[in-house]
C-alpha cells in the first residue's frame, strides 16, 4: 500500500442534464468513499435544474452548452498536471473503495494512461436499475484481493479514468458528436492510447443504473448509430471492421425488434433514424451534427 503523498490527485467529473434526483443519489454515494476525491466537478447543461444537490468537499458546479462532449470538455479545462481524471455518468454508483483503489492503481502502474472499472450490472441494456437494487449488487460483491487488470480497446464512458498529461497537451472529446455523444468514449480512448496502456481494472467495481430519463430520442440515436461510427472511421480513431460490425448489429437489432419492441427502447424511432442516416450518406451530407435537426 502506497503512502498518501505517493498517490495522484483525483479529479472526479460528472456531466449531467436534467436529472437532479439521480445525480443527488450518486453524490451521496460518492460521499461514502473511503478515499474522497480531491476535486469534484459537476457540469450541468445550460438551463438544467441543479437546486437541492448535496454539497461535498471540493465540489464545484460548472455549466456548458448541452452535449456530453461539450460538458466533459468544460471539465477538462479545469485539469491540473498532477490530476488523474475520472469521468462518471450521473447514474453510475461506485463501490465504497473505488477511488482509493483507483489512486493506488495509477500510482503503481505508471505505464497505464487510462483505466475503466468492472461494471457489476448495467441497466443500459434493459429497463434500468434502481438505486436500492444497485446497493444490493454492490453489497454482494466485496473487494477481491486477487482482482487484476486486462488490456481493453477502450474505456467505458460511464466510469473512465485517465492521466491529465494528454489533456494538457490539447486532447479533448470530439464536440462534433452531439447530445449523448454516442461512441465518444471509443474516440477519446483510441486517441489517448498513444500515451500509454488502456486497462480494465476489476478491483474498481460499480453499477450503472442506465436511467432512461434525459436520454436522446430514438430517431436521433438511430441517426448517430450510423453517422458516428463512420465519422470515427474518417478520424482514424476506430478501426473500420469494428465500426462497421457495430453499425450492422445496431441496424439488425432495430429492424428485427421494431415489430415487437422492448417497452424501454424506441426501436421504430431508432430504425427511422438509421434509414435517415443512410439516405444522407447516399446524398453525401451525412454528419454527426445532423442528428440535432431531427425530432
Amino acid at each position: 500500500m502506497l503512502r498518501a503523498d505517493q498517490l495522484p490527485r483525483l479529479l472526479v467529473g460528472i456531466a449531467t442534464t436534467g436529472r437532479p434526483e439521480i445525480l443527488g443519489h450518486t453524490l451521496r454515494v460518492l460521499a461514502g468513499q473511503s478515499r474522497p476525491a480531491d476535486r469534484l466537478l459537476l457540469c450541468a447543461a445550460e438551463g438544467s435544474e441543479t437546486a437541492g444537490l448535496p454539497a461535498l468537499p471540493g465540489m464545484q458546479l460548472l455549466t456548458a452548452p448541452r452535449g456530453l462532449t461539450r460538458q466533459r470538455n468544460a471539465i477538462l479545462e479545469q485539469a491540473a498536471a498532477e490530476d488523474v481524471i475520472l469521468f462518471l455518468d450521473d447514474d453510475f454508483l461506485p463501490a465504497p473503495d473505488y477511488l482509493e483503489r483507483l489512486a493506488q492503481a495509477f500510482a503503481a502502474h505508471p505505464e497505464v494512461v487510462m483505466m475503466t472499472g468492472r461494471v457489476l450490472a448495467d441497466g443500459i441494456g434493459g429497463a434500468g436499475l434502481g438505486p436500492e437494487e444497485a446497493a444490493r449488487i454492490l453489497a454482494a460483491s466485496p473487494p477481491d484481493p486477487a482482482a487484476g487488470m486486462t488490456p481493453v480497446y477502450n474505456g467505458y464512458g460511464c466510469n473512465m479514468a485517465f492521466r491529465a498529461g494528454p489533456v494538457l497537451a490539447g486532447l479533448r472529446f470530439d464536440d462534433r458528436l452531439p447530445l449523448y455523444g454516442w461512441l465518444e468514449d471509443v474516440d477519446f480512448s483510441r486517441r489517448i492510447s498513444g500515451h500509454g496502456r488502456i486497462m480494465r481494472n476489476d478491483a474498481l467495481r460499480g453499477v450503472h443504473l442506465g436511467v432512461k430519463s434525459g436520454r436522446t430520442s430514438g430517431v436521433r440515436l438511430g441517426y448517430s448509430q450510423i453517422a458516428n461510427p463512420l465519422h470515427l472511421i474518417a478520424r482514424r480513431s476506430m478501426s473500420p471492421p469494428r465500426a462497421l460490425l457495430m453499425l450492422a448489429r445496431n441496424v439488425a437489432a432495430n429492424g428485427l425488434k421494431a415489430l415487437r419492441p422492448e417497452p424501454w427502447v424506441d426501436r421504430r424511432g431508432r430504425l427511422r433514424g438509421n434509414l435517415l442516416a443512410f439516405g444522407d450518406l447516399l446524398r453525401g451530407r451525412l454528419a454527426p451534427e445532423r442528428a440535432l435537426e431531427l425530432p
Side-chain angles (χ1 to χ4, degrees):
M1 186 72 69
L2 297 171
R3 302 189 312 268
D5 61 352
Q6 297 175 298
L7 300 178
R9 279 195 351 161
L10 292 183
L11 185 162
V12 176
I14 300 177
T16 187
T17 301
R19 308 201 299 186
E21 182 176 351
I22 191 60
L23 175 59
H25 185 84
T26 300
L27 292 176
R28 287 187 286 273
V29 170
L30 283 172
Q33 287 287 302
S34 58
R35 191 267 198 215
D38 296 287
R39 299 177 70 196
L40 173 59
L41 300 185
L42 310 180
C43 188
E46 293 173 350
S48 292
E49 177 61 51
T50 57
L53 294 175
L56 274 62
M59 190 169 90
Q60 179 182 354
L61 182 62
L62 311 171
T63 59
R66 181 177 180 179
L68 181 63
T69 57
R70 292 180 177 183
Q71 291 168 248
R72 285 186 166 177
N73 283 339
I75 293 171
L76 293 184
E77 294 295 334
Q78 307 296 317
E82 62 270 28
D83 289 337
V84 162
I85 303 162
L86 169 65
F87 275 118
L88 298 177
D89 278 2
D90 61 6
D91 61 348
F92 182 85
L93 306 184
D97 60 350
Y98 189 109
L99 297 186
E100 179 181 358
R101 288 176 174 265
L102 179 69
Q104 290 281 344
F106 267 108
H109 295 279
E111 77 284 3
V112 174
V113 71
M114 174 182 277
M115 288 186 198
T116 193
R118 177 187 171 203
V119 180
L120 300 172
D122 195 345
I124 202 68
L129 303 170
E132 298 79 11
E133 185 176 0
R136 289 193 294 271
I137 293 169
L138 286 168
S141 177
D144 180 3
M149 298 200 300
T150 54
V152 290
Y153 187 77
N154 60 274
Y156 185 12
C158 68
N159 76 123
M160 184 171 69
F162 47 91
R163 299 186 189 274
V167 169
L168 298 179
L171 180 62
R172 294 293 185 272
F173 287 89
D174 184 359
D175 61 12
R176 288 194 62 194
L177 302 178
L179 302 171
Y180 187 55
W182 182 259
L183 298 182
E184 96 294 338
D185 48 2
V186 177
D187 176 65
F188 188 88
S189 298
R190 296 318 303 162
R191 287 188 291 126
I192 206 173
S193 66
H195 298 270
R197 304 185 74 190
I198 301 176
M199 306 294 285
R200 190 185 81 176
N201 185 342
D202 285 342
L204 312 175
R205 306 166 340 276
V207 174
H208 187 207
L209 301 182
V211 175
K212 306 308 177 189
S213 64
R215 295 195 178 273
T216 303
S217 79
V219 176
R220 288 179 170 184
L221 178 55
Y223 191 95
S224 295
Q225 287 177 332
I226 307 303
N228 291 14
L230 296 180
H231 174 67
L232 266 55
I233 290 174
R235 281 171 59 82
R236 299 184 178 180
S237 59
M238 193 173 187
S239 68
R242 182 181 290 264
L244 294 174
L245 179 60
M246 176 180 290
L247 184 156
R249 284 176 173 171
N250 284 325
V251 173
N254 295 334
L256 291 172
K257 297 180 181 180
L259 293 177
R260 299 184 64 183
E262 310 93 320
W264 56 86
V265 178
D266 181 11
R267 289 290 178 188
R268 293 169 187 170
R270 291 186 187 184
L271 182 60
R272 182 182 170 213
N274 293 161
L275 297 175
L276 289 171
F278 283 128
D280 278 356
L281 179 63
L282 292 174
R283 297 181 184 95
R285 64 180 189 179
L286 182 71
E289 303 93 326
R290 289 268 296 160
L292 294 169
E293 303 171 17
L294 302 176

